[in-house]
Amino acid sequence: MPNAVQEFVTSILSSGSSDLRRPQIDAHHETNIPGLYVIGDLAGAPVIKLAMAQGFDVVEYIAALPDARGAAEGEYDVIIAGAGAAGLNAALSAQEKGLRTLVLEKEKIANTIQNFPEGKWVYAEPDSTPAKGKLWLDGARKEDLIDRWHEIVTTNRLEVRTEEPITSLKRQQDGHFLATTPQGQYRARRVIIATGQRGNPRKLGVPGEEQECVYHRLYSPRHYHGEQIVVAGGGNSAVEAALVLSEQNSVTLCHRGEDFKRIFKDNQRKLDAAVAEKRIHLRLNSQIKQFGAKQVVIETRDGGQSVNSTLPFDHAFVLVGAELPVKFLKSLGIRLENEWEGSLARAAALALATLAGVWLAAGHAAWGATTLGAGWRLPGAALAVAGLAALLWLGRKGDRFAWLGISFIVFYSVYGIKTGEGNEFWPYRDWGYKAFSFFHRPWSFWYTVLYTLTMTVFGIQALKRWGLERKDKFQIWRYVSLLSFQWIFFFIIPEFLFQWAIRYQWVGARLATDPQFAQAAWRSYGIVYAWPLFFYTFFGDPSRIWIVWGLLLTFVIIPVFVLFNGKRYCSWICGCGGLAETLGDRWRHLAPKGRTSIRWEWMNMAVLIAAAAVTLIVLLQDGIPLLRHPASWGMNVYHLMADVWLVGILPVTLYPFLGGKVWCRYWCPLAKMMHLMSAAYARLGWSRFKIVANDKCIACNECSRYCQVGIDVMNYALKQQVLDNATSSCIGCGICVTVCPMDTLSFGGENGLVQIQAARPEAATVRA
Ligand SMILES: Cc1cc2nc3c(=O)[nH]c(=O)nc-3n(C[C@H](O)[C@H](O)[C@H](O)COP(=O)(O)OP(=O)(O)OC[C@H]3O[C@@H](n4cnc5c(N)ncnc54)[C@H](O)[C@@H]3O)c2cc1C
Ligand code: SF4
Ligand code: SF4
C-alpha cells in the first residue's frame, strides 16, 4: 500500500518531465560526477549557435582550473564525446588553450546535420547572439556547412576518431576517467559529453529489420530511381523523406496513427498533394510486422480488426524518431532532472517529527487534559533539529521527497500561522501568531513584507534571466509590471498609504471618518484583486464604495481587459501569479505536461462554482434566515480550503517540483472566469489575444518545456496553428516567444494582420 501511494504521488510529481529529460548540471555544465560535463543539445542548447557557445564556455571554465593541463604520456586533458557543433567547438577551443584533446565520434563528423534532408538550409539563429569560438557558422546549405567544418577539422589538426562511440566511462580512484570504445580505451582528466539528443535512431524491433535494404536514416534520396520504397513513420522526417523519394520512385508511407498530428503545415499540404497525385500511397493505422526478402508484411487496423497484407519493396526507411540518450547518461552515472528517488513515507515521518519537535519545544504541548511540562522543551528542540537535519542530509544525497518534506514544513508554517491569532494550525496553535508578531506589527504584516521581498529578490533574477540578458523588452516590462503591482497595490497601499489617507483625510473627511471604510484597510487589496479571487469584496458589510468598485472591476474592467489581453492578468498583474513568476520561475520547466495534466484543469471550474455558490448564499442569508448556517459553514470551509491550503500551503510547497502555476492553473477561480471569457471571445472571433507561428520551427521543444501552464506550444508551432484561449489556458507570459531560438512565435494582432514580435526589439516586424 505505501508503495502504491508513493507510485501515485511520484507519477503526479514527475508529470512535468518531458521525454527529453536533461541531465542535472551546474552553471559550468558539470554533472554530479566531478570532472564530467554535458553540453549542447543534450544540455538544452536547441540550435547550433547556442550549442557552439556552450562548447566554448565550458572549455573557458576548464582551462582556467589549476590542474587543467599536464596530462601524462598516453593520456588526454580532455576527451569530448560527439563531433557535433558543441563538441567540435569545444575541441577547437581546448586545443587553442593548450589542452591535449581527443574527440570520439560515434559515426561521422556533424552526424546530426548530415542527416538533415539533402540541400536543407541551415539557419544561423538566433540573430541577436554572436557566434562564439572557431567553428564557422552562417546560414548555408547543409552540404556547404559540413564541407567547411571538415576543412576546419583538418586545418586545425583536431584528433577526431569517427565511427568510435563511447560505450562506457569509469571514474577511477585518482579521479581520472577511463573511456571505452569498441576500438580501445582512453584516459583523461576530464570528459565532455556532447552527444546530442538525436544520435540513436529508434528501431521497430521486427524481424528482418537488420537487412541491408532497410535503413534508419536517409542520406541521399536522389540516388533511388524507379524503385518500390516503403517509408515507416509519422513525423516530419518520415513525411519529408517520403516526399523527396516520391519524386523518382513509388512510395508507400506507413504510419501507425490515423493522421499526422505533429508535422509542419507545409509538409501536410505537400503530402496531401502527393497523395492526390498518387505519388505517395498512404497506409494509416498500420504497422510493419516483418521485412522479408523483397516483401514487407504490414498489419492494418480496420475497425476492431487487424488485417495483414504484403507489399513488394526494394528499399525501406524506418524513420520513427530517435532513442533518447537517457539510458546512456544513466549508464555513466549522471543524475537527471526531476528524478524521484527516496521515500515518501520516510520524508513524511521526518516532517511530522520536526513539527512535533517544534510543538514540544514551544512549551505549549498538551496531551489530553495534561499540559506537558517544561522538561519536554529540550528534547523537543533536539527532535525538531534532528528531523530537519535528517531531511537536509537525505535531500543532499538526492532524495527529492526529503526536499518536498522541507518545503512543506516551511510553507505550512508560514501559512498555518498566518490564518490568524488563535486559529493557527498545530503546532503553532495559540502561540505562533504572537511569537512572529514583532516591532508592534502583526505576523500578517511581516508576511506581506516577506512576500514582497521574496518576489523582489527572485523577480530581479527572473528579470535578468528573461529580460536583461536576452534584451527582451516584453519580459522587462512584464517583470517591472509584476513587481510594481506587488509593491504599490499589495504592499504600500494596504499597509501604509491607506492609513495615511485616513489620517490626513486624503480621501475626504466623510470617508476618513466613516468607520465602515476607515477601519477596513485590508479591503484596499480589492483595488486590483477582483472577485472571486478576492472573495470578500462583497461580504462583511463593506462600504458602498468597495461594492461599486468590486462590481466595476469584476464585471466591466476585467472582461474588457480579457478581450484585449486574454489572461495576462495572471502574468502581468496578480500577486499570486507574481510569486509564481518570480520565486517559482526557476522550476517553470517542471509544470505538469500532457493530456492528463490538462484534464486536471477541471478543478478550477469546481472552485469557481464553489465560490459563486458561497457568495450567493452569503448574500441571500439576510433575506432567508435558513441560509445563515450554510452561509457561515460555506465561508469557513471555502476560507480554509481555497484561501489557506489551495492558494498558500500546497502550491507554494510544490513550486520546486511542479513549477509555480499550480494554484493559477488548477484552482484559481478568477483564472477560470477569465478563461471562460477569453475562450468565448476567441470562438466569436472577437479576441485580440493569440500567438501565431511562422514556418521556421525546428521542433526543439524549448517553448513547450518552459511553458508554465504545460501547453504543448511546439505542437501549435509545427502546425502553424493559432494558439489562443479557445484551445489552451495560455496566460500570455510570452516565455515561449522569448525562448524560441528561431523567432518562430509571436503575439498576433487583429486577424493576424499586424504581428508584433513581442520579444526582441531588433527582430520587431510589423506586417501590414
Ligand atoms: C530537423 C532539424 C532541423 C534543424 N535545423 C536547424 C537549423 O536550421 N539551425 C540550427 O541552428 N539548428 C537546427 N537544428 C538543431 C541542431 O541540429 C542542433 O541544435 C545541433 O545539432 C546540436 O549540436 P550538438 O553538438 O549538441 O549535438 P549534435 O549535433 O546532435 O551532435 C552530437 C554528435 O554526437 C555523436 N554521438 C552520439 N552518441 C555518441 C557516443 N556515444 N559517442 C560518441 N559520439 C556520439 C553523434 O553521432 C553526433 O555527431 C535542427 C535540428 C533538427 C532535428
Ligand atoms: S503558451 Fe507561451 S505565452 Fe502562453 S502561458 Fe505558455 S509560455 Fe506563456
Ligand atoms: S516554436 Fe518551439 S519547438 Fe519550434 S523552434 Fe521555436 S521553441 Fe523550438
Side-chain angles (χ1 to χ4, degrees), residues 40-41 45-48 51 81-87 104-108 111-112 116 120-123 165-166 194-196 198 328 698 742:
D41 204 5
V47 281
I48 295 168
L104 294 170
E105 164 55 48
K106 186 172 148 197
E107 295 185 28
K108 306 174 181 181
N111 200 44
T112 301
F116 288 174
K120 179 190 174 334
W121 186 260
V122 181
Y123 297 98
I166 285 199
T195 49
R198 333 216 183 198
F328 173 63
I698 55 164
M742 303 300 288

Side-chain angles (χ1 to χ4, degrees), residues 355-367 370-381 426-432 435:
L355 291 171
V358 171
W359 181 57
L360 292 169
H364 289 258
W367 200 262
T370 327
T371 303
L372 300 179
W376 285 91
R377 281 185 176 228
L378 205 60
W426 175 88
Y428 304 100
R429 194 108 210 195
D430 295 329
W431 66 273

Side-chain angles (χ1 to χ4, degrees), residues 2-14 338-352 387-388 390-409 653-654 656-657:
N3 271 349
V5 174
Q6 170 143 343
E7 267 170 35
F8 175 69
V9 173
T10 307
S11 73
I12 294 176
L13 292 172
S14 52
N338 211 17
E339 280 188 315
W340 280 89
E341 284 167 15
S343 157
L344 173 64
R346 181 175 57 196
L350 286 169
L352 201 65
L388 200 60
L391 283 171
L392 273 168
W393 183 76
L394 287 167
R396 288 182 66 85
K397 293 201 93 98
D399 181 340
R400 260 168 97 66
F401 287 106
W403 291 120
L404 181 64
I406 294 171
S407 187
F408 176 76
I409 293 171
T653 295
L654 291 170
F657 313 103

Side-chain angles (χ1 to χ4, degrees), residues 403-432:
W403 291 120
L404 181 64
I406 294 171
S407 187
F408 176 76
I409 293 171
V410 172
F411 295 108
Y412 172 83
S413 302
V414 169
Y415 288 92
I417 294 171
K418 192 188 153 249
T419 49
E421 196 162 2
N423 292 320
E424 305 97 329
F425 290 178
W426 175 88
Y428 304 100
R429 194 108 210 195
D430 295 329
W431 66 273

